[in-house]
């Protein structure tokens, strides 16, 4: 009986860990997505979505230097 209860807690802890890792990955990707989309295709996203934390605009409103 005790082993069965410990296995249940272990499964619950593993599920909680997977959920926390998934949430962390989602937040990090969501933060970085506007910058990546801006680098790949400046017209892909709205300029408001490409704002950085300090309120200044990211690369979407600057002209790219052609080589």
């Amino acid at each position: 009986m005790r082993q069965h209860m410990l296995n249940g807690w272990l499964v619950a802890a593993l599920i909680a860990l997977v959920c926390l890792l998934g949430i962390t990955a989602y937040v990090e990707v969501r933060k970085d997505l506007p910058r990546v989309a801006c680098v790949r295709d400046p017209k892909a996203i709205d300029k408001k979505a490409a704002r950085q934390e300090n309120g200044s605009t990211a690369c979407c409103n600057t002209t790219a230097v052609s080589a």
Side-chain angles (χ1 to χ4, degrees), residues 3-15:
Q3 185 67 38
H4 182 69
M5 193 169 71
L6 288 174
N7 286 342
W9 281 107
L10 179 62
V11 169
L14 288 173
I15 290 172

Side-chain angles (χ1 to χ4, degrees), residues 11-61:
V11 169
L14 288 173
I15 290 172
L17 179 64
V18 168
C19 288
L20 286 174
L21 289 173
I23 291 169
T24 303
Y26 173 76
V27 169
E28 290 299 318
V29 168
R30 187 172 175 185
K31 271 195 322 191
D32 203 35
L33 191 59
R35 184 190 62 82
V36 172
C38 182
V39 170
R40 302 279 277 165
D41 185 12
K43 296 177 185 175
I45 59 171
D46 186 35
K47 287 184 182 180
K48 289 181 183 177
R51 293 196 182 264
Q52 295 174 348
E53 293 296 322
N54 60 4
S56 64
T57 57
C59 64
C60 288
N61 64 353

Side-chain angles (χ1 to χ4, degrees), residues 63-67:
T63 57
V65 177
S66 59

